[in-house]
Amino acid sequence: MKMISWNVNGLRACVNKGFTDIFKELNADIFCVQETKLQENQIDLDLEGYHQYWNYAEKKGYSGTAIFTKKKPISFTTGMGIEEHDKEGRLITLEFEDFYLITCYTPNSQNELKRLDYRMKWEDDFLSYIKELDKNKPVILCGDLNVAHNEIDLKNPKTNRKNAGFTEKERDKMTALLDSGFTDSYRHLYPDTTGVYSWWSYRFNARKNNAGWRIDYFITSSRIKDKITDANIHTDITGSDHCPVELVIDI
């Protein structure tokens, strides 16, 4: 089964930059997007053969997630059941026969880390949420998790230690997640690969210079990590400041 995750940084803008052609070319069984920046009925995507599931933020033009899947799930839920977290359209969970699929757009800690405290609460509540699901059946989590876990995961670690996405607190939360029985699919297959990123700032010619960060992930329950057959980061695909990431898994 082939899965794709992509932070599109505004789906309408991405459609104007070739989203539909890229979608067809990648031909995923499940395609997840984050940061749709949409309200209901603001876009009509003709994706033949796919069921569509959406979660919208209350705030217009902000956040939002969606999943397009060839196979219809058993159930579909939005959010994690905590009102404080569920207003921004950041989470969708689909239940299939053999696994749960979650797409997530983790809150950014923002400039001067003004949202770091909220981010920490989100992290704790989200970990509790996925651990509870994992008791039932394996979990596949994907999305923009807004953290580069280790120094290998960004171009300039030394100058970013106190910046959003690479603080010790955020990195420790990712470590806690993985230590709770989950596996980073890309690092599972490519533990030492350097210079491969999924996000580049629009400033300072960052993408041209490959001054990027790997903050988009597919993470699986560790008990199914041996079913992972490939994990790709499509650095050649443009249309957003992020590129799509891919998981191929025999499940």
Side-chain angles (χ1 to χ4, degrees):
M1 179 176 281
K2 179 180 179 179
M3 304 181 188
I4 294 287
S5 176
W6 193 10
N7 179 324
V8 292
N9 193 10
L11 186 53
R12 284 176 294 181
C14 195
V15 165
N16 291 332
K17 298 174 183 176
F19 174 84
T20 305
D21 289 338
I22 294 165
F23 181 90
K24 291 176 180 176
E25 184 179 336
L26 289 171
N27 190 29
D29 297 290
I30 301 174
F31 199 115
C32 303
V33 295
Q34 303 88 41
E35 208 171 357
T36 55
K37 298 183 178 180
L38 290 170
Q39 303 302 119
E40 193 168 5
N41 299 321
Q42 282 192 310
I43 197 170
D44 182 17
L45 276 183
D46 181 15
L47 304 175
E48 186 177 356
Y50 288 84
H51 303 277
Q52 301 188 20
Y53 299 91
W54 298 83
N55 190 11
Y56 307 99
E58 291 181 4
K59 181 180 176 181
K60 291 183 178 179
Y62 181 73
S63 189
T65 48
I67 302 178
F68 314 122
T69 172
K70 290 180 179 179
K71 183 176 181 180
K72 190 174 183 178
I74 296 169
S75 67
F76 153 62
T77 56
T78 59
M80 61 177 96
I82 300 173
E83 185 178 358
E84 178 184 13
H85 300 316
D86 293 350
K87 297 177 179 179
E88 297 184 353
R90 294 183 178 275
L91 202 63
I92 297 175
T93 303
L94 300 187
E95 179 185 2
F96 294 94
E97 184 176 353
D98 298 316
F99 65 97
Y100 290 102
L101 174 74
I102 302 171
T103 196
C104 177
Y105 177 39
T106 301
N108 190 299
S109 296
Q110 298 185 350
N111 292 336
E112 300 179 356
L113 304 179
K114 59 187 177 184
R115 216 180 186 200
L116 181 61
D117 289 346
Y118 171 69
R119 163 75 176 262
M120 294 297 100
K121 187 171 190 319
W122 165 282
E123 294 280 4
D124 291 340
D125 292 340
F126 181 63
L127 180 56
S128 296
Y129 174 75
I130 65 170
K131 284 170 67 176
E132 198 62 32
L133 290 180
D134 189 52
K135 292 177 183 177
N136 231 3
K137 59 182 77 173
V139 171
I140 299 173
L141 162 66
C142 72
D144 174 2
L145 304 187
N146 259 317
V147 60
H149 186 212
N150 292 311
E151 289 192 358
I152 195 175
D153 295 314
L154 73 167
K155 179 70 174 288
N156 297 307
K158 290 182 180 179
T159 56
N160 280 294
R161 291 193 179 281
K162 296 183 179 180
N163 290 337
F166 199 60
T167 64
E168 290 297 324
K169 287 184 176 181
E170 291 165 307
R171 295 168 64 196
D172 286 349
K173 293 298 184 184
M174 174 60 88
T175 299
L177 166 64
L178 297 175
D179 287 349
S180 297
F182 297 91
T183 295
D184 176 350
S185 63
Y186 186 78
R187 285 289 169 229
H188 174 62
L189 295 183
Y190 309 108
D192 303 315
T193 298
T194 61
V196 181
Y197 309 116
S198 65
W199 173 79
W200 305 262
S201 170
Y202 279 133
R203 298 180 296 171
F204 312 123
N205 290 315
R207 191 155 190 170
K208 181 181 177 182
N209 297 323
N210 199 30
W213 300 47
R214 191 178 71 92
I215 60 174
D216 301 87
Y217 296 83
F218 269 99
I219 290 172
T220 75
S221 297
S222 292
R223 65 184 182 276
I224 59 169
K225 67 182 180 182
D226 292 339
K227 296 181 181 293
I228 297 169
T229 59
D230 204 359
N232 293 311
I233 300 177
H234 292 279
T235 57
D236 59 320
I237 293 178
T238 58
S240 168
D241 51 349
H242 296 249
C243 73
V245 296
E246 176 181 326
L247 173 72
V248 182
I249 188 166
D250 184 16
I251 193 167

